[in-house]
């Protein structure tokens, strides 16, 4: 969630009047997202304690709709009649465009 956090902090700088323009970025690595143990800092004295998946909590869970973000992708596809084949074709074309640009063939 570092890229999103950087963008939020940049937007806040503009909103607070501390900057006119900001450039933000980040690189996500969901495979390196940690598990949180919320009670570990002060000690979980008796009984079990929970581990929280940081990838879900900070990246893939919508706190407003209280559901996994993938649910919205499914809803969007259903609402707008976007088939898996259409999604795959779009991904293929997007990759091909990026590759042509990278090779200087755009």
């Amino acid at each position: 969630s570092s890229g999103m956090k950087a963008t939020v902090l940049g937007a806040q700088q503009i909103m607070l009047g501390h900057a006119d323009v900001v450039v933000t970025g980040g690189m996500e690595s969901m495979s390196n997202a940690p598990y949180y143990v919320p009670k570990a800092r002060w000690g979980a004295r008796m009984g079990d304690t929970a581990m929280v998946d940081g990838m879900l909590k900070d990246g893939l869970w919508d706190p407003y709709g209280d559901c996994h973000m993938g649910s919205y992708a499914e809803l969007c596809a259903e609402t707008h009649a976007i088939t898996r084949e259409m999604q795959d074709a779009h991904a293929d074309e997007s990759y091909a465009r990026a590759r042509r640009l990278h090779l200087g063939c755009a």
Side-chain angles (χ1 to χ4, degrees):
S1 62
S2 63
M4 182 61 75
K5 185 65 172 181
T7 301
V8 167
L9 291 172
Q12 289 174 341
Q13 291 297 304
I14 293 171
M15 293 166 65
L16 292 169
H18 295 302
D20 294 322
V21 176
V22 295
V23 177
T24 65
M27 185 172 148
E28 310 304 332
S29 178
M30 293 200 307
S31 60
N32 288 319
Y35 280 85
Y36 306 139
V37 185
K39 293 182 180 179
R41 182 175 304 267
W42 296 278
R45 297 291 177 226
M46 291 182 62
D48 298 331
T49 189
M51 293 182 73
V52 179
D53 185 345
M55 180 174 60
L56 287 176
K57 179 175 175 30
D58 292 338
L60 297 176
W61 197 260
D62 174 27
Y64 305 106
D66 195 29
C67 65
H68 195 288
M69 298 266 190
S71 301
Y72 291 118
E74 296 296 326
L75 176 62
C76 181
E78 183 179 315
T79 301
H80 298 286
I82 301 169
T83 65
R84 178 57 191 246
E85 290 76 20
M86 293 166 68
Q87 293 175 57
D88 289 345
H90 176 75
D92 287 344
E93 179 58 26
S94 178
Y95 173 77
R97 287 179 183 169
R99 189 165 193 277
R100 285 192 303 268
L101 183 65
H102 177 72
L103 296 174
C105 306

XYZ file of all heavy atoms in Angstrom:
794
model
N 0.817 -1.199 0.000
C 0.000 0.000 0.000
C 0.864 1.268 0.000
O 0.372 2.355 0.202
C -0.924 -0.019 1.205
O -0.184 -0.011 2.414
N 2.168 1.132 -0.223
C 3.050 2.299 -0.159
C 2.745 3.329 -1.233
O 2.797 4.533 -0.986
C 4.511 1.860 -0.262
O 4.754 1.249 -1.517
N 2.401 2.881 -2.447
C 2.084 3.823 -3.521
C 0.829 4.616 -3.214
O 0.773 5.838 -3.409
N -0.190 3.943 -2.727
C -1.434 4.625 -2.380
C -1.212 5.575 -1.210
O -1.704 6.698 -1.206
C -2.516 3.603 -2.035
C -3.853 4.234 -1.707
S -4.562 5.184 -3.071
C -5.119 3.857 -4.101
N -0.446 5.143 -0.225
C -0.164 5.995 0.934
C 0.611 7.237 0.508
O 0.321 8.345 0.968
C 0.624 5.212 1.994
C 0.860 5.987 3.271
C -0.444 6.286 3.990
C -0.194 6.891 5.346
N -1.429 7.155 6.063
N 1.575 7.068 -0.389
C 2.337 8.215 -0.888
C 1.415 9.195 -1.605
O 1.540 10.411 -1.447
C 3.446 7.739 -1.824
N 0.473 8.684 -2.376
C -0.467 9.543 -3.100
C -1.394 10.271 -2.131
O -1.659 11.471 -2.300
C -1.267 8.709 -4.110
O -0.345 8.097 -5.020
C -2.246 9.563 -4.879
N -1.867 9.578 -1.110
C -2.714 10.221 -0.100
C -1.946 11.329 0.608
O -2.448 12.449 0.794
C -3.246 9.180 0.915
C -3.860 9.853 2.129
C -4.257 8.263 0.247
N -0.705 11.052 1.003
C 0.098 12.065 1.686
C 0.376 13.250 0.762
O 0.351 14.413 1.203
C 1.408 11.454 2.182
C 1.265 10.439 3.323
C 2.604 9.759 3.598
C 0.717 11.095 4.570
N 0.621 12.988 -0.521
C 0.830 14.072 -1.482
C -0.416 14.921 -1.641
O -0.342 16.157 -1.664
N -1.573 14.285 -1.733
C -2.838 15.019 -1.851
C -3.079 15.873 -0.610
O -3.534 17.022 -0.708
C -3.997 14.042 -2.061
N -2.753 15.340 0.550
C -2.912 16.102 1.786
C -2.007 17.334 1.800
O -2.414 18.399 2.288
C -2.634 15.216 3.001
C -3.719 14.194 3.247
C -3.373 13.220 4.354
O -2.208 13.056 4.733
N -4.391 12.543 4.872
N -0.805 17.206 1.280
C 0.099 18.361 1.211
C -0.509 19.480 0.370
O -0.427 20.655 0.726
C 1.459 17.936 0.639
C 2.255 17.041 1.551
C 2.621 17.740 2.849
O 3.238 18.796 2.847
N 2.224 17.157 3.969
N -1.123 19.108 -0.743
C -1.775 20.101 -1.603
C -2.991 20.690 -0.894
O -3.176 21.912 -0.872
C -2.175 19.472 -2.953
C -0.924 19.100 -3.744
C -3.063 20.422 -3.750
C -1.190 18.270 -4.985
N -3.818 19.840 -0.306
C -5.030 20.305 0.374
C -4.714 21.234 1.540
O -5.462 22.175 1.813
C -5.851 19.103 0.856
C -6.425 18.270 -0.293
S -7.035 16.650 0.210
C -8.386 17.074 1.261
N -3.603 20.988 2.218
C -3.212 21.822 3.358
C -2.490 23.097 2.948
O -2.172 23.931 3.779
C -2.322 21.016 4.315
C -3.016 19.876 5.057
C -1.997 18.984 5.747
C -4.017 20.435 6.054
N -2.220 23.211 1.648
C -1.537 24.401 1.165
C -0.032 24.359 1.334
O 0.646 25.368 1.177
N 0.512 23.197 1.643
C 1.953 23.071 1.821
C 2.695 22.887 0.501
O 3.914 23.028 0.451
C 2.290 21.901 2.748
C 1.791 22.089 4.150
N 2.149 23.157 4.941
C 0.948 21.339 4.907
C 1.557 23.059 6.114
N 0.812 21.969 6.116
N 1.957 22.565 -0.556
C 2.566 22.362 -1.871
C 1.539 22.654 -2.948
O 0.328 22.509 -2.720
C 3.076 20.931 -2.013
N 2.016 23.084 -4.095
C 1.130 23.281 -5.238
C 1.087 22.035 -6.112
O 0.062 21.704 -6.702
C 1.593 24.475 -6.084
C 1.455 25.795 -5.333
O 0.458 25.951 -4.600
O 2.348 26.644 -5.471
N 2.219 21.374 -6.218
C 2.348 20.178 -7.046
C 3.200 19.168 -6.288
O 4.189 19.541 -5.656
C 3.044 20.512 -8.396
C 3.263 19.249 -9.214
C 2.254 21.537 -9.181
N 2.819 17.913 -6.350
C 3.629 16.850 -5.774
C 3.718 15.700 -6.769
O 2.835 15.521 -7.602
C 3.068 16.314 -4.431
C 3.095 17.377 -3.365
C 1.675 15.775 -4.605
N 4.785 14.971 -6.699
C 4.950 13.756 -7.491
C 5.056 12.609 -6.508
O 5.877 12.651 -5.587
C 6.219 13.825 -8.378
C 6.412 12.514 -9.127
C 6.140 15.000 -9.337
N 4.199 11.624 -6.658
C 4.214 10.493 -5.735
C 4.371 9.199 -6.506
O 4.137 9.138 -7.705
C 2.918 10.419 -4.903
O 1.814 10.157 -5.776
C 2.681 11.709 -4.145
N 4.766 8.180 -5.803
C 4.886 6.863 -6.412
C 5.182 5.834 -5.360
O 5.314 6.149 -4.185
N 5.264 4.643 -5.797
C 5.572 3.561 -4.881
C 5.562 2.260 -5.640
O 5.169 2.216 -6.805
N 6.004 1.245 -5.006
C 6.018 -0.067 -5.642
C 5.393 -1.055 -4.675
O 5.825 -1.165 -3.527
C 7.446 -0.472 -5.959
C 7.537 -1.751 -6.715
S 9.240 -1.984 -7.223
C 9.325 -3.744 -7.169
N 4.381 -1.704 -5.140
C 3.673 -2.651 -4.289
C 4.287 -4.036 -4.448
O 4.757 -4.405 -5.513
C 2.197 -2.707 -4.669
C 1.518 -1.351 -4.767
C 1.609 -0.515 -3.517
O 1.709 -1.081 -2.411
O 1.586 0.708 -3.635
N 4.275 -4.781 -3.394
C 4.733 -6.167 -3.428
C 3.836 -6.972 -2.509
O 4.142 -7.142 -1.323
C 6.192 -6.270 -2.995
O 6.592 -7.625 -2.992
N 2.718 -7.419 -3.058
C 1.750 -8.117 -2.222
C 2.326 -9.399 -1.639
O 1.944 -9.802 -0.542
C 0.464 -8.384 -3.000
C -0.257 -7.101 -3.324
S -2.002 -7.189 -3.735
C -2.122 -8.356 -5.002
N 3.275 -10.015 -2.340
C 3.849 -11.243 -1.802
C 4.723 -10.970 -0.574
O 5.034 -11.883 0.186
C 4.666 -11.974 -2.867
O 5.716 -11.162 -3.335
N 5.114 -9.714 -0.372
C 5.915 -9.352 0.795
C 5.108 -8.643 1.882
O 5.678 -8.158 2.859
C 7.087 -8.457 0.384
C 8.132 -9.235 -0.367
O 8.455 -10.353 -0.009
N 8.661 -8.650 -1.426
N 3.802 -8.561 1.703
C 2.969 -7.903 2.714
C 3.021 -8.710 4.013
O 2.903 -9.935 3.999
C 1.528 -7.782 2.225
N 3.183 -8.030 5.125
C 3.312 -8.743 6.396
C 1.966 -9.156 6.986
O 0.909 -8.709 6.543
C 3.953 -7.691 7.299
C 3.398 -6.405 6.782
C 3.319 -6.584 5.285
N 2.036 -9.998 7.972
C 0.887 -10.276 8.828
C 1.072 -9.415 10.074
O 2.178 -9.271 10.581
C 0.832 -11.755 9.224
C 0.256 -12.619 8.140
C 1.052 -13.113 7.124
C -1.103 -12.922 8.123
C 0.525 -13.891 6.112
C -1.640 -13.703 7.121
C -0.827 -14.188 6.117
O -1.358 -14.951 5.122
N -0.015 -8.825 10.531
C 0.036 -7.989 11.721
C -0.432 -8.808 12.925
O -1.322 -9.636 12.817
C -0.883 -6.777 11.591
C -0.656 -5.948 10.361
C -1.735 -5.442 9.652
C 0.622 -5.658 9.898
C -1.541 -4.662 8.518
C 0.822 -4.883 8.774
C -0.270 -4.386 8.086
O -0.076 -3.628 6.963
N 0.183 -8.537 14.049
C -0.257 -9.120 15.311
C -0.548 -7.926 16.222
O 0.341 -7.452 16.940
C 0.824 -10.051 15.928
C 0.294 -10.737 17.175
C 1.289 -11.073 14.910
N -1.787 -7.413 16.137
C -2.115 -6.157 16.822
C -1.771 -6.109 18.311
O -1.384 -5.074 18.821
C -3.629 -6.017 16.614
C -3.905 -6.816 15.379
C -2.928 -7.957 15.409
N -1.880 -7.194 19.028
C -1.623 -7.176 20.473
C -0.162 -7.419 20.824
O 0.206 -7.390 21.991
C -2.489 -8.219 21.176
C -3.977 -7.903 21.118
C -4.765 -8.938 21.872
C -6.248 -8.627 21.815
N -7.037 -9.632 22.522
N 0.682 -7.653 19.838
C 2.068 -8.024 20.131
C 2.859 -6.901 20.785
O 3.726 -7.158 21.611
C 2.770 -8.466 18.842
N 2.577 -5.656 20.434
C 3.351 -4.544 20.982
C 3.226 -4.454 22.501
O 4.192 -4.177 23.205
C 2.911 -3.231 20.344
C 3.706 -2.022 20.835
C 3.330 -0.756 20.106
N 3.479 -0.889 18.682
C 4.575 -0.560 17.985
N 5.622 -0.095 18.620
N 4.612 -0.693 16.683
N 2.039 -4.678 23.026
C 1.825 -4.556 24.466
C 1.680 -5.902 25.141
O 1.527 -5.981 26.335
C 0.584 -3.699 24.729
C 0.791 -2.310 24.228
C 1.442 -1.296 24.864
C 0.408 -1.799 22.957
N 1.474 -0.176 24.069
C 0.843 -0.459 22.877
C -0.259 -2.327 21.860
C 0.633 0.339 21.775
C -0.471 -1.522 20.754
C -0.024 -0.211 20.726
N 1.708 -6.960 24.339
C 1.658 -8.304 24.895
C 0.253 -8.862 24.995
O -0.631 -8.236 25.552
N 0.069 -10.001 24.420
C -1.185 -10.739 24.570
C -0.956 -11.682 25.742
O -0.254 -12.676 25.625
C -1.494 -11.503 23.287
N -1.487 -11.326 26.870
C -1.137 -12.016 28.105
C -1.698 -13.428 28.221
O -0.991 -14.359 28.502
C -1.607 -11.194 29.312
C -0.915 -9.859 29.374
C 0.547 -10.061 29.723
N 1.228 -8.781 29.717
C 2.383 -8.544 29.144
N 3.014 -9.501 28.529
N 2.938 -7.372 29.194
N -2.977 -13.586 28.035
C -3.577 -14.916 28.181
C -4.449 -15.196 26.975
O -5.107 -14.316 26.441
C -4.427 -14.991 29.449
C -3.611 -14.937 30.719
S -4.622 -15.089 32.193
C -5.329 -16.688 32.013
N -4.444 -16.435 26.552
C -5.299 -16.833 25.441
C -4.652 -16.581 24.097
O -3.517 -16.121 23.988
N -5.402 -16.881 23.069
C -4.925 -16.730 21.702
C -4.981 -15.266 21.269
O -5.674 -14.446 21.866
C -5.796 -17.550 20.744
C -5.732 -19.042 21.047
O -4.692 -19.495 21.560
O -6.726 -19.733 20.769
N -4.237 -14.965 20.226
C -4.309 -13.638 19.623
C -4.422 -13.815 18.114
O -4.050 -14.867 17.577
C -3.088 -12.777 19.995
O -3.318 -11.444 19.558
C -1.810 -13.302 19.362
N -4.938 -12.818 17.461
C -5.185 -12.917 16.019
C -4.015 -12.377 15.210
O -3.310 -11.468 15.640
C -6.449 -12.139 15.668
N -3.827 -12.952 14.037
C -2.914 -12.405 13.039
C -3.795 -11.823 11.938
O -4.783 -12.430 11.543
C -2.007 -13.490 12.478
C -1.028 -14.033 13.497
S 0.079 -15.261 12.802
C 1.143 -14.253 11.813
N -3.434 -10.645 11.458
C -4.214 -9.960 10.433
C -3.395 -9.905 9.153
O -2.243 -9.467 9.169
C -4.594 -8.535 10.904
C -5.374 -7.809 9.831
C -5.373 -8.597 12.208
N -3.977 -10.330 8.050
C -3.306 -10.309 6.754
C -3.211 -8.868 6.262
O -4.218 -8.249 5.911
C -4.088 -11.169 5.760
C -3.398 -11.313 4.421
O -2.463 -10.541 4.126
O -3.814 -12.194 3.654
N -1.994 -8.327 6.242
C -1.791 -6.945 5.826
C -2.183 -6.688 4.385
O -2.612 -5.594 4.030
N -2.036 -7.697 3.518
C -2.410 -7.528 2.119
C -3.910 -7.285 1.988
O -4.347 -6.421 1.231
C -2.021 -8.777 1.318
C -2.375 -8.697 -0.150
S -1.768 -10.100 -1.102
C -2.582 -11.473 -0.316
N -4.697 -8.011 2.763
C -6.135 -7.788 2.719
C -6.529 -6.500 3.436
O -7.265 -5.675 2.890
C -6.878 -8.970 3.351
C -6.917 -10.243 2.537
C -7.598 -11.360 3.321
C -7.620 -10.026 1.216
N -6.030 -6.324 4.652
C -6.433 -5.163 5.458
C -6.086 -3.839 4.800
O -6.911 -2.930 4.740
C -5.790 -5.228 6.835
C -6.141 -4.045 7.727
C -5.572 -4.223 9.103
C -5.767 -3.070 10.030
N -6.920 -2.248 9.869
N -4.883 -3.724 4.278
C -4.420 -2.445 3.759
C -4.527 -2.308 2.247
O -4.346 -1.219 1.717
C -2.961 -2.213 4.148
C -2.798 -1.999 5.633
O -3.781 -1.621 6.289
O -1.684 -2.211 6.134
N -4.781 -3.399 1.554
C -4.749 -3.302 0.109
C -5.978 -3.788 -0.622
O -6.407 -3.183 -1.598
N -6.557 -4.868 -0.180
C -7.622 -5.483 -0.961
C -9.003 -5.419 -0.317
O -9.962 -5.937 -0.875
C -7.264 -6.951 -1.249
C -6.000 -7.151 -2.091
C -5.688 -8.632 -2.228
C -6.143 -6.508 -3.450
N -9.101 -4.782 0.831
C -10.392 -4.717 1.520
C -10.927 -3.295 1.458
O -10.232 -2.340 1.771
C -10.243 -5.150 2.977
C -11.567 -5.482 3.588
C -12.319 -4.695 4.407
C -12.301 -6.683 3.398
N -13.477 -5.330 4.738
C -13.498 -6.557 4.129
C -12.072 -7.848 2.672
C -14.459 -7.562 4.165
C -13.028 -8.850 2.719
C -14.203 -8.695 3.457
N -12.181 -3.162 1.029
C -12.822 -1.849 0.966
C -13.466 -1.557 2.318
O -14.430 -2.220 2.705
C -13.880 -1.819 -0.125
C -14.665 -0.522 -0.131
O -14.137 0.510 0.306
O -15.825 -0.544 -0.582
N -12.954 -0.566 3.054
C -13.505 -0.289 4.380
C -14.901 0.329 4.328
O -15.638 0.264 5.301
C -12.503 0.695 4.991
C -11.860 1.353 3.821
C -11.839 0.313 2.730
N -15.288 0.908 3.212
C -16.604 1.549 3.105
C -17.694 0.534 2.792
O -18.766 0.554 3.381
C -16.568 2.653 2.048
C -15.482 3.664 2.324
C -14.328 3.682 1.555
C -15.588 4.557 3.381
C -13.314 4.592 1.815
C -14.579 5.462 3.656
C -13.447 5.479 2.865
O -12.439 6.364 3.137
N -17.407 -0.365 1.872
C -18.376 -1.403 1.530
C -18.198 -2.665 2.340
O -18.987 -3.591 2.244
N -17.121 -2.727 3.130
C -16.791 -3.863 3.983
C -16.793 -5.171 3.199
O -17.454 -6.136 3.577
C -17.733 -3.952 5.180
C -17.191 -4.893 6.242
O -15.952 -5.036 6.348
O -18.004 -5.499 6.970
N -16.064 -5.165 2.080
C -15.944 -6.387 1.294
C -14.634 -6.358 0.499
O -13.980 -5.321 0.397
C -17.133 -6.563 0.367
S -17.271 -5.319 -0.912
N -14.287 -7.504 -0.052
C -13.073 -7.647 -0.855
C -13.237 -6.851 -2.149
O -14.296 -6.862 -2.770
C -12.843 -9.125 -1.149
C -11.481 -9.435 -1.657
N -11.073 -9.097 -2.916
C -10.432 -10.055 -1.065
C -9.830 -9.498 -3.099
N -9.417 -10.082 -1.981
N -12.194 -6.141 -2.565
C -12.252 -5.321 -3.774
C -12.588 -6.152 -5.017
O -13.197 -5.651 -5.949
C -10.918 -4.605 -3.997
C -10.558 -3.670 -2.886
S -11.104 -2.026 -3.250
C -10.283 -1.151 -1.938
N -12.196 -7.420 -5.026
C -12.525 -8.276 -6.156
C -14.023 -8.400 -6.378
O -14.476 -8.626 -7.500
N -14.794 -8.233 -5.313
C -16.249 -8.273 -5.455
C -16.742 -7.161 -6.367
O -17.703 -7.346 -7.120
C -16.923 -8.121 -4.081
O -16.506 -9.142 -3.219
N -16.088 -6.019 -6.315
C -16.486 -4.907 -7.173
C -16.144 -5.183 -8.627
O -16.877 -4.790 -9.537
C -15.835 -3.608 -6.718
C -16.369 -3.126 -5.404
C -15.540 -3.007 -4.299
C -17.709 -2.797 -5.253
C -16.032 -2.578 -3.085
C -18.212 -2.376 -4.042
C -17.373 -2.262 -2.959
O -17.867 -1.841 -1.757
N -15.038 -5.865 -8.857
C -14.683 -6.231 -10.228
C -15.736 -7.162 -10.805
O -16.167 -6.994 -11.955
C -13.308 -6.892 -10.254
N -16.164 -8.123 -10.017
C -17.204 -9.047 -10.476
C -18.516 -8.301 -10.732
O -19.193 -8.534 -11.725
C -17.425 -10.155 -9.446
C -16.229 -11.055 -9.241
C -15.864 -11.835 -10.489
O -16.767 -12.217 -11.260
O -14.662 -12.056 -10.699
N -18.878 -7.392 -9.830
C -20.099 -6.614 -9.989
C -20.034 -5.736 -11.243
O -20.996 -5.647 -12.008
C -20.342 -5.744 -8.750
C -21.543 -4.803 -8.801
C -22.841 -5.599 -8.946
C -21.583 -3.932 -7.558
N -18.907 -5.102 -11.461
C -18.714 -4.250 -12.636
C -18.835 -5.065 -13.922
O -19.510 -4.666 -14.869
C -17.352 -3.565 -12.555
S -17.018 -2.462 -13.926
N -18.191 -6.217 -13.953
C -18.256 -7.075 -15.140
C -19.681 -7.527 -15.408
O -20.142 -7.514 -16.557
C -17.341 -8.283 -14.962
N -20.389 -7.891 -14.355
C -21.776 -8.334 -14.508
C -22.676 -7.186 -14.956
O -23.466 -7.329 -15.889
C -22.273 -8.910 -13.183
C -23.680 -9.472 -13.243
C -24.102 -10.046 -11.906
O -23.303 -10.764 -11.283
O -25.239 -9.759 -11.490
N -22.532 -6.036 -14.326
C -23.374 -4.871 -14.641
C -23.188 -4.406 -16.078
O -24.148 -4.027 -16.749
C -23.048 -3.714 -13.671
O -23.292 -4.155 -12.337
C -23.898 -2.490 -13.960
N -21.962 -4.445 -16.552
C -21.655 -3.916 -17.881
C -21.443 -5.008 -18.926
O -20.962 -4.721 -20.032
C -20.429 -3.004 -17.800
C -20.646 -1.824 -16.914
N -21.431 -0.757 -17.270
C -20.216 -1.571 -15.653
C -21.463 0.117 -16.286
N -20.734 -0.354 -15.286
N -21.817 -6.238 -18.596
C -21.737 -7.381 -19.514
C -20.339 -7.534 -20.116
O -20.173 -7.681 -21.320
C -22.796 -7.263 -20.613
N -19.324 -7.469 -19.249
C -17.939 -7.642 -19.679
C -17.552 -9.094 -19.410
O -17.482 -9.521 -18.267
C -16.997 -6.678 -18.925
C -17.423 -5.228 -19.172
C -15.557 -6.907 -19.346
C -16.727 -4.229 -18.269
N -17.313 -9.831 -20.479
C -16.988 -11.250 -20.338
C -15.511 -11.444 -20.024
O -14.698 -10.531 -20.194
C -17.300 -12.008 -21.634
O -16.422 -11.534 -22.670
C -18.754 -11.817 -22.053
N -15.168 -12.633 -19.603
C -13.765 -12.960 -19.337
C -12.948 -12.837 -20.624
O -11.813 -12.371 -20.618
C -13.665 -14.384 -18.758
C -12.241 -14.839 -18.499
C -11.536 -13.846 -17.548
N -10.131 -14.092 -17.482
C -9.502 -14.510 -16.390
N -10.167 -14.729 -15.293
N -8.212 -14.686 -16.409
N -13.555 -13.255 -21.734
C -12.871 -13.161 -23.016
C -12.570 -11.706 -23.373
O -11.497 -11.392 -23.897
C -13.703 -13.822 -24.122
C -13.793 -15.329 -24.017
C -14.746 -15.822 -22.925
O -15.631 -15.041 -22.471
O -14.597 -16.985 -22.505
N -13.510 -10.803 -23.081
C -13.294 -9.375 -23.335
C -12.170 -8.835 -22.448
O -11.339 -8.038 -22.899
C -14.592 -8.586 -23.107
C -15.684 -8.899 -24.113
S -17.314 -8.287 -23.609
C -17.084 -6.528 -23.726
N -12.144 -9.277 -21.206
C -11.092 -8.842 -20.291
C -9.728 -9.343 -20.758
O -8.740 -8.593 -20.740
C -11.372 -9.359 -18.879
C -12.601 -8.743 -18.236
C -12.902 -9.367 -16.906
O -12.068 -9.370 -16.008
N -14.099 -9.920 -16.756
N -9.678 -10.591 -21.189
C -8.418 -11.154 -21.673
C -7.938 -10.440 -22.932
O -6.744 -10.160 -23.079
C -8.567 -12.653 -21.948
C -8.698 -13.474 -20.668
O -8.399 -12.940 -19.579
O -9.105 -14.651 -20.769
N -8.867 -10.123 -23.835
C -8.506 -9.413 -25.065
C -7.959 -8.025 -24.735
O -6.978 -7.563 -25.337
C -9.712 -9.308 -25.994
N -8.574 -7.364 -23.767
C -8.100 -6.037 -23.355
C -6.696 -6.145 -22.744
O -5.826 -5.317 -23.038
C -9.067 -5.416 -22.352
C -8.594 -4.112 -21.811
N -8.630 -2.950 -22.531
C -8.035 -3.793 -20.613
C -8.125 -1.967 -21.812
N -7.759 -2.447 -20.639
N -6.487 -7.144 -21.911
C -5.168 -7.334 -21.293
C -4.118 -7.618 -22.355
O -3.009 -7.068 -22.306
C -5.232 -8.472 -20.270
N -4.458 -8.456 -23.324
C -3.518 -8.765 -24.407
C -3.154 -7.508 -25.187
O -1.978 -7.263 -25.486
C -4.111 -9.801 -25.369
C -4.159 -11.196 -24.774
O -3.475 -11.437 -23.755
O -4.892 -12.039 -25.329
N -4.150 -6.704 -25.528
C -3.896 -5.475 -26.293
C -3.089 -4.476 -25.471
O -2.183 -3.826 -25.983
C -5.209 -4.847 -26.750
C -5.056 -3.559 -27.522
C -4.207 -3.684 -28.790
O -4.126 -4.789 -29.373
O -3.614 -2.659 -29.195
N -3.396 -4.360 -24.197
C -2.654 -3.454 -23.326
C -1.184 -3.867 -23.255
O -0.280 -3.022 -23.348
C -3.279 -3.454 -21.932
O -2.560 -2.627 -21.061
N -0.943 -5.162 -23.097
C 0.434 -5.671 -23.055
C 1.147 -5.407 -24.376
O 2.298 -4.958 -24.394
C 0.448 -7.166 -22.738
C 1.818 -7.760 -22.840
C 2.757 -7.562 -21.829
C 2.198 -8.487 -23.957
C 4.030 -8.089 -21.930
C 3.480 -9.017 -24.069
C 4.386 -8.814 -23.054
O 5.643 -9.328 -23.154
N 0.452 -5.656 -25.479
C 1.058 -5.455 -26.802
C 1.429 -3.985 -27.015
O 2.500 -3.675 -27.547
C 0.104 -5.931 -27.893
N 0.559 -3.078 -26.595
C 0.858 -1.647 -26.719
C 2.074 -1.265 -25.880
O 2.946 -0.525 -26.338
C -0.347 -0.819 -26.274
C -1.496 -0.838 -27.237
C -2.647 -0.015 -26.690
N -3.788 -0.082 -27.571
C -4.977 0.355 -27.251
N -5.205 0.890 -26.053
N -5.970 0.275 -28.114
N 2.121 -1.755 -24.661
C 3.245 -1.439 -23.785
C 4.544 -2.000 -24.368
O 5.586 -1.332 -24.345
C 3.004 -2.014 -22.387
N 4.481 -3.197 -24.907
C 5.674 -3.807 -25.496
C 6.151 -3.017 -26.710
O 7.346 -2.762 -26.869
C 5.382 -5.255 -25.878
C 6.622 -6.016 -26.291
C 6.355 -7.524 -26.311
N 7.596 -8.250 -26.395
C 8.243 -8.483 -27.536
N 7.759 -8.040 -28.672
N 9.373 -9.170 -27.523
N 5.197 -2.604 -27.582
C 5.575 -1.815 -28.752
C 6.219 -0.500 -28.323
O 7.214 -0.066 -28.906
C 4.363 -1.540 -29.634
C 3.902 -2.747 -30.442
C 2.899 -2.377 -31.512
N 1.709 -1.714 -31.031
C 0.584 -2.327 -30.683
N 0.507 -3.665 -30.749
N -0.461 -1.645 -30.262
N 5.661 0.120 -27.311
C 6.222 1.376 -26.823
C 7.618 1.165 -26.274
O 8.536 1.930 -26.559
C 5.310 1.975 -25.736
C 5.722 3.310 -25.173
C 5.661 4.388 -26.260
C 4.845 3.682 -24.015
N 7.797 0.099 -25.496
C 9.105 -0.212 -24.910
C 10.141 -0.464 -25.995
O 11.300 -0.053 -25.871
C 8.995 -1.425 -24.008
C 10.291 -1.862 -23.413
N 10.929 -1.144 -22.414
C 11.095 -2.914 -23.680
C 12.058 -1.741 -22.104
N 12.178 -2.826 -22.858
N 9.727 -1.093 -27.074
C 10.644 -1.397 -28.172
C 10.823 -0.228 -29.135
O 11.580 -0.330 -30.101
C 10.156 -2.638 -28.933
C 10.141 -3.943 -28.135
C 9.490 -5.050 -28.954
C 11.540 -4.334 -27.708
N 10.103 0.867 -28.872
C 10.213 2.044 -29.729
C 9.461 1.905 -31.037
O 9.762 2.602 -32.010
N 8.475 1.054 -31.057
C 7.690 0.803 -32.273
C 6.304 1.417 -32.212
O 5.442 1.064 -33.004
C 7.561 -0.697 -32.528
S 9.124 -1.577 -32.588
N 6.068 2.310 -31.271
C 4.721 2.873 -31.105
C 4.405 3.704 -32.293
O 3.389 3.864 -32.802
C 4.627 3.687 -29.825
